[in-house]
Amino acid sequence: MHGSESTVLEQATRRRTFAVISHPDAGKSTLTEALALHAHVIGEAGAVHGKSGRRGVASDWMAMEQERGISVTSAVMQFAYGDVVMNLLDTPGHADFSEDTYRVLSAVDCAVMLLDAAKGLEPQTLKLFEVCRHRRVPIITFINKWDRPGLDALELLDEIEQRLAIRTTPVTWPVGVAGDLQGLIDRRDPAQVIRFTRSTGGRAATESRISADADAARELSGLDAAEDELRLLDAVGADFDRETFLEGTSTPVFFGSAVSNIGVRLLLDAIVSIAPSPTPRLTLEGARRPVQAPFSGLVFKVQANMNPAHRDRIAFVRVCSGVFERGMVLNHAATGRPFTTKFANAMFGQNRTVVEQAYPGDIVGLVNAGALRPGDTLHEGEPVQFPAMPTFAPEHFVTVRTKDPSRSKQFRRGVTQLESEGVVQVLTSDFRGGHAPVLAAVGPMQFEVVLHRLEHEFGAPAVLEPLPYKLARRTDQASKDRLNRMRGVEVLTRTRDGILLALFTDRWSMDRAGADAPELTIEPLNITAE
Ligand code: G4P
């Protein structure tokens, strides 16, 4: 191994690239802030994320963002913790939940599943968990808001095990029920109790360790119960197991309160000590590309129209191997064409500061990246390609038509372009004709993006009409006609991959179709490719 390869390997070993998966309001923003509090924030890569006057270059996107109070631009925060470089990728939620939210998970090596102690598993967490499971992304669980009344700790573990079919291995354990948090016990060192004291006026607590035998510990009313529970956990062998954690079949669990900074450092330490650093990534050929191989990167998200004057696109690229150096000319595997990063402002940092170098696990934002699509590979040297980005089961459906028939050419071009960029899925059928295609999305915000871009970028103002469908399943040619004759069902072809999708107005009509005609193909469509 020559010098630069060992540098890349060493740098990769220092990286932890992860995302927080949670339902809105579980405390993701609070946890992110609390993590950053412990660390030294190096930069924040956001499309137009500037804090200091950068809003001057704000595009229509920013207007949309401000209007709706949602973050469409934040992408990744990089921070150093000790010797480790953390890349925390944002998974947009709320109204901006979209295919991008899922795609981000193709770029991480680990995920923190954040739960609200009072609510347990919630729908959005479940969806994101499924994507992680499909990719075998290791999951660390953080049960948040233990400072407030909530469910019983053992019950929460049981819920996770039952509903996710994953083994739970608590690493920390709360002393005191939810709402009466008296301390934490680190199961690796159960002879001590970690206590938290809040500074006067401050929300954040500082921690200290006392012996579990000390009088001060024995006075804690929750300690006996906690010790009983720990004995129970020991008896069932719920100990951290690295192998099953890395393959995604067990999850270490931490308890705490992000808002009070309780348990956050223990989580951060765990990310350093147990979360994997970038590993060789699987290529389309089935080989694994070593991290010290020449540069390769995966485009996992493309955001358009940051600056209406330039119509630029920004592609977020996860470095998979080698070192990224600004100015290098890469190969774009999908087209075989060179892609120059010379003028593409590699941006990283609060004010789009230019990044000169990035290592495996890091995220680089490339502007002027109109040719790049989510799932594309960029590389140096010998050809390499990573598997295509999966497509996800849409849950929102509309028809779209141009307001002005004289703009129908622009309209069609716009729809085709937006589909090829992965902004929405486009569905067609013989019955509907081509003038008003059906758009399908994971989140409704994707439709707004389509309308906005059709009007401002393609000069084809359009209108949407909602369709009553809520669910999509994969079907086949043999089942198509039968399904089309049923009430509350319609079969369409997804233009991206030619897959036939049966859309159902509700679960009831889907179950009934399956029960009435069990020979029909109605298959789940969570993730259709990898
Ligand atoms: P999100 O990004 O996942 O949507 O959640 P966010 O961090 O915005 O947190 C949602 C609410 O939950 C916030 O309250 C936040 O303060 C609260 N929260 C987060 N972590 C904890 C915790 O550990 N304990 C308790 N008790 N609350 C927590 P809010 O009322 O919406 O906002 P704020 O006025 O408190 O900022």
Side-chain angles (χ1 to χ4, degrees):
M1 197 185 297
H2 57 77
S4 63
E5 282 188 7
S6 63
T7 309
V8 172
L9 203 55
E10 189 194 313
Q11 289 288 345
T13 310
R14 290 175 56 209
R15 294 314 194 263
R16 298 291 180 279
T17 302
F18 67 104
V20 177
I21 60 170
S22 62
H23 194 80
D25 264 2
K28 186 176 62 155
S29 322
T30 312
L31 180 69
T32 303
E33 270 171 39
L35 289 170
L37 195 82
H38 286 271
H40 167 60
V41 176
I42 304 168
E44 220 174 307
V48 199
H49 215 277
K51 287 199 173 105
S52 51
R54 276 268 156 176
R55 294 200 171 223
V57 292
S59 66
D60 309 343
W61 279 108
M62 292 300 286
M64 205 152 135
E65 180 175 24
Q66 279 163 358
E67 224 169 82
R68 315 243 338 213
I70 50 176
S71 158
V72 284
T73 52
S74 65
V76 56
M77 182 171 78
Q78 190 179 53
F79 54 91
Y81 182 61
D83 199 30
V84 170
V85 177
M86 305 269 190
N87 294 304
L88 171 51
L89 275 61
D90 191 27
T91 49
H94 292 273
D96 48 349
F97 190 81
S98 70
E99 281 193 73
D100 277 344
T101 309
Y102 291 141
R103 288 176 186 143
V104 162
L105 299 174
S106 314
V108 301
D109 300 313
C110 178
V112 172
M113 180 167 76
L114 178 71
L115 305 182
D116 180 327
K119 298 191 174 142
L121 293 167
E122 296 180 86
Q124 191 162 305
T125 324
L126 290 170
K127 288 184 197 171
L128 292 164
F129 174 83
E130 283 309 326
V131 178
C132 289
R133 161 166 297 175
H134 182 80
R135 279 204 60 231
R136 294 177 173 232
V137 174
I139 309 262
I140 296 174
T141 302
F142 187 83
I143 299 180
N144 191 29
K145 305 197 185 182
W146 205 258
D147 57 304
R148 275 216 310 229
L151 302 168
D152 174 71
L154 288 169
E155 256 173 47
L156 278 160
L157 297 191
D158 199 45
E159 184 187 8
I160 296 168
E161 298 214 341
Q162 298 300 323
R163 292 184 64 192
L164 304 183
I166 190 169
R167 212 159 58 81
T168 55
T169 59
V171 176
T172 64
W173 196 253
V175 178
V177 296
D180 180 27
L181 180 58
Q182 301 161 16
L184 288 173
I185 293 179
D186 185 337
R187 288 186 64 215
R188 295 160 297 189
D189 183 12
Q192 296 194 54
V193 175
I194 308 168
R195 298 194 65 186
F196 298 89
T197 357
R198 284 185 208 207
S199 55
T200 34
R203 278 174 115 183
T206 49
E207 63 179 71
S208 57
R209 286 168 190 256
I210 51 170
S211 161
D213 294 329
D215 291 347
R218 299 315 322 167
E219 280 164 14
L220 298 174
S221 62
L223 188 59
D224 285 343
E227 286 177 338
D228 283 348
E229 287 162 344
L230 287 176
R231 276 190 285 275
L232 196 76
L233 293 172
D234 289 344
V236 298
D239 297 336
F240 172 67
D241 177 61
R242 191 170 173 82
E243 201 176 314
T244 51
F245 161 63
L246 291 180
E247 71 185 24
T249 56
S250 76
T251 177
V253 180
F254 293 78
F255 290 81
S257 162
V259 82
S260 328
N261 188 29
I262 292 177
V264 175
R265 194 188 54 79
L266 287 155
L267 173 69
L268 205 47
D269 287 341
I271 295 169
V272 171
S273 61
I274 65 176
S277 56
T279 48
R281 194 173 184 98
L282 194 65
T283 67
L284 203 56
E285 295 77 36
R288 290 199 175 265
R289 186 173 177 87
V291 288
Q292 69 273 29
F295 174 84
S296 65
L298 172 75
V299 178
F300 63 94
K301 166 170 160 165
V302 177
Q303 203 158 324
N305 203 13
M306 302 316 169
N307 182 341
H310 298 292
R311 302 268 171 252
D312 63 356
R313 306 258 188 287
I314 184 155
F316 291 94
V317 181
R318 142 95 196 213
V319 181
C320 299
S321 69
V323 51
F324 172 87
E325 298 197 27
R326 193 171 69 86
M328 71 199 310
V329 178
L330 300 169
N331 298 309
H332 179 212
T335 58
R337 298 216 182 97
F339 183 91
T340 173
T341 60
K342 188 171 171 194
F343 302 110
N345 236 329
M347 41 140 283
F348 215 102
Q350 265 161 357
N351 290 323
R352 275 195 176 208
T353 44
V354 165
V355 67
E356 296 296 343
Q357 277 190 332
Y359 291 98
D362 290 343
I363 310 301
V364 177
L366 300 174
V367 295
N368 287 338
L372 305 181
R373 306 279 179 268
D376 282 359
T377 305
L378 289 172
H379 66 90
E380 249 189 321
E382 293 298 303
V384 56
Q385 203 158 349
F386 298 114
M389 190 66 79
T391 55
F392 302 93
E395 294 180 23
H396 299 267
F397 306 88
V398 294
T399 58
V400 61
R401 69 180 78 226
T402 171
K403 276 185 188 165
D404 175 358
S406 74
R407 308 292 294 166
S408 56
K409 213 171 105 195
Q410 289 83 348
F411 170 77
R412 277 201 302 275
R413 214 187 54 224
V415 171
T416 307
Q417 169 77 18
L418 295 170
E419 190 214 14
S420 77
E421 285 182 24
V423 177
V424 275
Q425 302 179 24
V426 178
L427 315 178
T428 55
S429 84
D430 304 341
F431 301 125
R432 289 183 172 270
H435 68 290
V438 173
L439 305 183
V442 161
M445 163 100 169
Q446 291 172 250
F447 298 141
E448 285 190 42
V449 173
V450 169
L451 278 189
H452 188 91
R453 289 188 58 193
L454 279 176
E455 177 166 352
H456 296 280
E457 203 173 323
F458 297 93
V463 280
L464 303 178
E465 261 173 56
L467 288 169
Y469 305 118
K470 298 272 181 307
L471 294 161
R473 292 291 183 272
R474 182 198 272 258
T475 186
D476 57 19
Q477 206 61 39
S479 314
K480 181 177 161 185
D481 292 341
R482 232 3 240 288
L483 284 168
N484 267 332
R485 284 198 297 274
M486 294 179 175
R487 207 139 45 102
V489 192
E490 180 175 351
V491 178
L492 294 119
T493 308
R494 182 159 65 189
T495 57
R496 189 187 292 179
D497 47 18
I499 286 178
L500 287 180
L501 297 189
L503 311 189
F504 297 89
T505 48
D506 49 41
R507 186 162 288 278
W508 184 80
S509 50
M510 185 180 79
D511 292 345
R512 196 192 47 184
D516 288 356
E519 68 282 8
L520 296 178
T521 303
I522 303 172
E523 287 171 358
L525 183 102
N526 280 337
I527 293 161
T528 59
E530 172 81 90

